[in-house]
Amino acid sequence: MQETPRPLVAVLDYGIGNLRSAQKGLERVGAEARLTSDAALIRRADGLVLPGVGAFGPCMAALEDAGLDSEARRATAAGVPFLGICIGMQMLFEGSEEAAGRAGLGLLAGQVRRLPDGVKAPQMQWNQLQVRRPDPLLEGLDGSWVYFVHSFAPEPGPATIATCSYGGAVTAAVASGPVRGVQFHPEKSGRAGLALLANFVSMLAGR
């Protein structure tokens, strides 16, 4: 009996943060995950993942320097499923208060804002997902505890599919067309994080 090919996921390698943790998590849930900046490989991938840690400005600068901002826009325009993680999710938006004047990818409308006044920043803790709109990425994850490390988050808007409570409703996950993003770290979120990555891989397998 012939084995079903594993979906090919390109984890965009732009030299920022621990990109291999996302790659290893995707491999654990059945993807052929490649950490790459090679345009040819990216263009034949079934899905793309953009991790990010640190700050919005340096991450966007590094993505642009690697020429991967154009690859991200090309892929999403072609309907290729795309997942941004942590700063990678913030980069999906038009811009951020953290880096005034530095444009984001603009794949989603809106701005990234500082966490609400009166709460400790960064939020560095486990927090509970509150699913606002059903989406295959969050299947079975309503009420799950996941791990956050961030001081900024996108404004809640039409793309928001889940929030957490931290001085008010804070965007935890977004979806619009082929674009998905999560503010928390799946690779640090135990079973729930692996379940989310498995959901993403299942979406690719079902294309």
Side-chain angles (χ1 to χ4, degrees), residues 12 18 36 51 59 63 68 82 89-90 102-103 115 118 122 124-125 151 156 165 173 175 184 189 195 198 202 206:
L12 301 185
N18 184 12
T36 184
C59 283
L63 193 72
L68 296 178
F82 191 102
M89 180 180 96
Q90 296 179 16
R102 166 68 72 177
L115 290 173
M124 189 180 298
Q125 63 175 17
S151 298
S165 180
F184 54 91
S189 297
S202 293

Short mmCIF file of all heavy atoms in Angstrom, two decimals, residues 12 18 36 51 59 63 68 82 89-90 102-103 115 118 122 124-125 151 156 165 173 175 184 189 195 198 202 206:
data_model
loop_
_atom_site.label_atom_id
_atom_site.label_comp_id
_atom_site.label_asym_id
_atom_site.label_seq_id
_atom_site.Cartn_x
_atom_site.Cartn_y
_atom_site.Cartn_z
N LEU A 12 9.77 29.84 6.73
CA LEU A 12 10.60 30.88 6.12
C LEU A 12 11.80 31.22 7.00
O LEU A 12 11.65 31.62 8.15
CB LEU A 12 9.75 32.13 5.88
CG LEU A 12 8.54 31.94 4.96
CD1 LEU A 12 7.86 33.27 4.69
CD2 LEU A 12 8.94 31.28 3.64
N ASN A 18 14.38 31.31 17.05
CA ASN A 18 14.52 29.86 17.01
C ASN A 18 13.52 29.28 16.01
O ASN A 18 12.46 28.80 16.37
CB ASN A 18 14.29 29.27 18.41
CG ASN A 18 14.52 27.77 18.44
OD1 ASN A 18 15.05 27.19 17.49
ND2 ASN A 18 14.11 27.14 19.51
N THR A 36 13.77 27.18 5.13
CA THR A 36 14.33 27.56 3.84
C THR A 36 14.12 29.02 3.50
O THR A 36 13.17 29.65 3.96
CB THR A 36 13.71 26.69 2.72
OG1 THR A 36 14.34 27.00 1.48
CG2 THR A 36 12.21 26.93 2.61
N PRO A 51 7.48 32.12 11.52
CA PRO A 51 7.66 32.36 12.95
C PRO A 51 8.32 33.72 13.17
O PRO A 51 8.81 34.34 12.23
CB PRO A 51 8.60 31.23 13.39
CG PRO A 51 8.75 30.33 12.19
CD PRO A 51 8.46 31.18 11.00
N CYS A 59 12.39 42.29 12.74
CA CYS A 59 11.87 41.11 12.03
C CYS A 59 11.46 41.47 10.61
O CYS A 59 11.79 40.76 9.65
CB CYS A 59 10.70 40.51 12.79
SG CYS A 59 11.17 39.53 14.24
N LEU A 63 13.17 40.10 7.15
CA LEU A 63 12.34 39.43 6.14
C LEU A 63 12.53 40.08 4.77
O LEU A 63 12.67 39.40 3.75
CB LEU A 63 10.88 39.48 6.56
CG LEU A 63 9.92 38.58 5.80
CD1 LEU A 63 10.13 37.12 6.18
CD2 LEU A 63 8.46 38.98 6.05
N LEU A 68 12.00 37.70 1.38
CA LEU A 68 10.91 36.78 1.66
C LEU A 68 9.57 37.49 1.85
O LEU A 68 8.53 36.83 1.88
CB LEU A 68 11.24 35.91 2.88
CG LEU A 68 12.44 34.98 2.67
CD1 LEU A 68 12.73 34.19 3.94
CD2 LEU A 68 12.18 34.02 1.51
N PHE A 82 -1.08 30.05 4.79
CA PHE A 82 0.05 30.76 5.39
C PHE A 82 -0.24 30.96 6.87
O PHE A 82 -1.32 31.43 7.24
CB PHE A 82 0.19 32.12 4.70
CG PHE A 82 1.44 32.87 5.01
CD1 PHE A 82 2.49 32.89 4.11
CD2 PHE A 82 1.58 33.57 6.19
CE1 PHE A 82 3.66 33.60 4.39
CE2 PHE A 82 2.74 34.27 6.48
CZ PHE A 82 3.78 34.29 5.58
N MET A 89 2.79 36.65 13.31
CA MET A 89 1.39 37.06 13.15
C MET A 89 1.28 38.57 13.06
O MET A 89 0.55 39.11 12.23
CB MET A 89 0.54 36.56 14.31
CG MET A 89 -0.93 36.97 14.18
SD MET A 89 -2.01 36.42 15.52
CE MET A 89 -2.01 37.88 16.55
N GLN A 90 2.02 39.29 13.91
CA GLN A 90 1.97 40.74 13.89
C GLN A 90 2.42 41.30 12.53
O GLN A 90 1.89 42.30 12.04
CB GLN A 90 2.83 41.31 15.01
CG GLN A 90 2.34 40.93 16.41
CD GLN A 90 3.23 41.48 17.52
OE1 GLN A 90 4.03 42.37 17.30
NE2 GLN A 90 3.09 40.93 18.72
N ARG A 102 7.50 51.70 9.95
CA ARG A 102 7.90 50.44 9.30
C ARG A 102 6.65 49.68 8.90
O ARG A 102 5.85 49.27 9.74
CB ARG A 102 8.74 49.61 10.28
CG ARG A 102 8.95 48.16 9.88
CD ARG A 102 9.82 47.98 8.66
NE ARG A 102 11.23 48.25 8.92
CZ ARG A 102 12.19 48.11 8.02
NH1 ARG A 102 11.88 47.71 6.79
NH2 ARG A 102 13.44 48.39 8.31
N ALA A 103 6.43 49.50 7.62
CA ALA A 103 5.24 48.80 7.13
C ALA A 103 5.36 47.30 7.38
O ALA A 103 6.45 46.73 7.27
CB ALA A 103 5.04 49.07 5.65
N LEU A 115 -0.10 46.35 24.53
CA LEU A 115 -1.10 45.74 25.41
C LEU A 115 -1.78 46.80 26.26
O LEU A 115 -1.21 47.87 26.51
CB LEU A 115 -0.45 44.67 26.30
CG LEU A 115 0.00 43.39 25.58
CD1 LEU A 115 0.78 42.50 26.53
CD2 LEU A 115 -1.18 42.63 24.99
N GLY A 118 -2.28 49.13 32.44
CA GLY A 118 -2.65 48.49 33.70
C GLY A 118 -2.29 47.02 33.79
O GLY A 118 -2.51 46.39 34.83
N PRO A 122 6.04 42.29 29.21
CA PRO A 122 5.20 41.45 28.35
C PRO A 122 4.25 40.55 29.14
O PRO A 122 4.47 40.30 30.32
CB PRO A 122 6.23 40.60 27.61
CG PRO A 122 7.38 40.48 28.57
CD PRO A 122 7.44 41.81 29.27
N MET A 124 3.74 37.14 29.81
CA MET A 124 4.62 35.98 29.72
C MET A 124 4.02 34.90 30.61
O MET A 124 4.39 34.75 31.77
CB MET A 124 6.04 36.35 30.18
CG MET A 124 7.08 35.28 29.91
SD MET A 124 8.75 35.76 30.49
CE MET A 124 9.06 37.21 29.49
N GLN A 125 3.07 34.16 30.05
CA GLN A 125 2.31 33.22 30.86
C GLN A 125 1.43 32.34 29.98
O GLN A 125 1.24 32.59 28.80
CB GLN A 125 1.40 33.98 31.82
CG GLN A 125 0.34 34.83 31.11
CD GLN A 125 -0.64 35.48 32.07
OE1 GLN A 125 -0.40 35.60 33.26
NE2 GLN A 125 -1.77 35.92 31.54
N SER A 151 4.35 41.86 24.11
CA SER A 151 3.96 43.16 24.66
C SER A 151 3.01 43.92 23.73
O SER A 151 2.47 44.96 24.11
CB SER A 151 5.20 44.03 24.91
OG SER A 151 6.06 43.43 25.86
N PRO A 156 -8.29 43.90 17.92
CA PRO A 156 -9.39 43.01 17.54
C PRO A 156 -10.15 43.60 16.35
O PRO A 156 -10.39 44.80 16.28
CB PRO A 156 -10.26 42.97 18.80
CG PRO A 156 -9.32 43.28 19.92
CD PRO A 156 -8.35 44.29 19.34
N SER A 165 -7.94 36.81 27.62
CA SER A 165 -8.27 37.91 28.51
C SER A 165 -7.01 38.39 29.22
O SER A 165 -6.38 37.62 29.96
CB SER A 165 -9.32 37.46 29.53
OG SER A 165 -9.65 38.53 30.39
N ALA A 173 -5.64 34.88 17.88
CA ALA A 173 -5.56 34.18 16.60
C ALA A 173 -6.40 34.92 15.57
O ALA A 173 -7.42 35.53 15.91
CB ALA A 173 -6.04 32.74 16.73
N ALA A 175 -7.70 34.95 11.16
CA ALA A 175 -7.86 34.21 9.91
C ALA A 175 -8.59 35.07 8.90
O ALA A 175 -9.58 35.73 9.24
CB ALA A 175 -8.63 32.91 10.14
N PHE A 184 0.30 33.35 20.28
CA PHE A 184 0.99 32.48 21.24
C PHE A 184 2.00 31.60 20.51
O PHE A 184 2.08 31.58 19.27
CB PHE A 184 -0.02 31.63 22.01
CG PHE A 184 -0.97 30.85 21.15
CD1 PHE A 184 -0.67 29.56 20.76
CD2 PHE A 184 -2.17 31.40 20.72
CE1 PHE A 184 -1.54 28.83 19.96
CE2 PHE A 184 -3.05 30.69 19.93
CZ PHE A 184 -2.74 29.41 19.54
N SER A 189 3.46 25.30 23.78
CA SER A 189 2.11 25.16 24.34
C SER A 189 1.66 23.72 24.49
O SER A 189 0.45 23.44 24.52
CB SER A 189 1.11 25.93 23.47
OG SER A 189 1.39 27.31 23.48
N ALA A 195 -1.64 20.26 18.66
CA ALA A 195 -2.96 20.09 18.04
C ALA A 195 -3.21 21.19 17.01
O ALA A 195 -3.75 20.95 15.93
CB ALA A 195 -4.05 20.09 19.09
N ALA A 198 -1.13 20.45 14.01
CA ALA A 198 -1.75 19.32 13.31
C ALA A 198 -2.97 19.78 12.51
O ALA A 198 -3.21 19.31 11.39
CB ALA A 198 -2.15 18.23 14.31
N SER A 202 -3.42 19.39 8.54
CA SER A 202 -4.63 18.76 7.99
C SER A 202 -5.28 19.65 6.94
O SER A 202 -5.83 19.15 5.93
CB SER A 202 -5.63 18.47 9.11
OG SER A 202 -5.14 17.48 9.99
N GLY A 206 -5.89 18.53 2.98
CA GLY A 206 -7.24 18.55 2.43
C GLY A 206 -7.41 19.47 1.24
O GLY A 206 -8.51 19.60 0.70
#
